[in-house]
Every structure is written in C-alpha cells, then in structure tokens.
Amino acid sequence: ILLEDLFQNHENENKRDYLYYLAIGNTKLKEYATALKYVRALLQVEPGNRQAQELEEIVSKRLKKDGMMGMAVAGGGALLFGGLVGLGLAVAGSRAIRK
C-alpha cells in the first residue's frame, strides 16, 4: 500500500523504481497477475529494461504454472467427488437388491 501511494503521489523520477518494487513484492506474495500488471506498466515506460523483461518472463511462467496446478487440483477434486458418488450409488444399489 505504501509503494502504491508513493507511485501515485510523488515525483516522476522514482516511479519506475516503485513499479519495479511493486512487481517484485507482488511476485513474492504470489500475486502473479498483479505483479504482471506492474512489470508490464514498467516495460511500457522502459521497454529495454532487462530486469523488467526477465521479471516479466519469471512472473508469466509462475502464473502459468499456478494455473496448471489449480486445474489439476480442481480436476482431482472432481474425480474424487465422482468416485464418492459412484461408490454411494453402488452401496445404495446393493442394499436395494438385498431387501
């Protein structure tokens, strides 16, 4: 919050530093979408900034990896839920046959 305030309310000469540190901080907090927003804003101001280019690459990879992990967890949860429903139906069916 402090860096965001500094970025919005202070002189222009340090704004690129604020953007870079906002991107770094959000990356460390695993807020990759927000970090990518800040690093891309920095790259619009300084397209040749090597640190920002490398950070953009790192953040993009992590964002993609997190997305894949999220889909795998969701898929695993759906598979588990489907298995439990199937097991419940099988048990209910076997009880119905016994009566």
Side-chain angles (χ1 to χ4, degrees), residues 3 16-32 34-40 42 49-56 58-59 62:
L3 280 173
R16 68 174 189 84
D17 292 334
Y18 301 149
L19 284 172
Y20 183 74
Y21 290 123
L22 283 163
I24 291 285
N26 280 286
T27 300
K28 290 193 180 284
L29 293 172
K30 297 183 180 181
E31 296 290 337
Y32 301 124
T34 305
L36 202 54
K37 177 182 78 168
Y38 286 121
V39 78
R40 287 187 174 155
L42 175 57
N49 186 318
R50 293 290 300 153
Q51 283 182 310
Q53 291 169 352
E54 290 172 12
L55 183 58
E56 181 186 33
I58 290 168
V59 172
R62 289 185 184 174

Side-chain angles (χ1 to χ4, degrees), residues 30-96:
K30 297 183 180 181
E31 296 290 337
Y32 301 124
T34 305
L36 202 54
K37 177 182 78 168
Y38 286 121
V39 78
R40 287 187 174 155
L42 175 57
L43 285 170
Q44 284 185 347
V45 176
E46 289 186 15
N49 186 318
R50 293 290 300 153
Q51 283 182 310
Q53 291 169 352
E54 290 172 12
L55 183 58
E56 181 186 33
E57 187 176 323
I58 290 168
V59 172
S60 294
K61 285 180 184 177
R62 289 185 184 174
L63 184 62
K64 186 176 179 180
K65 181 181 174 185
D66 253 23
M68 295 290 199
M69 291 291 270
M71 286 189 293
V73 169
L79 184 63
L80 178 65
F81 179 73
L84 290 174
V85 169
L87 180 62
L89 290 174
V91 169
S94 70
R95 285 187 181 172

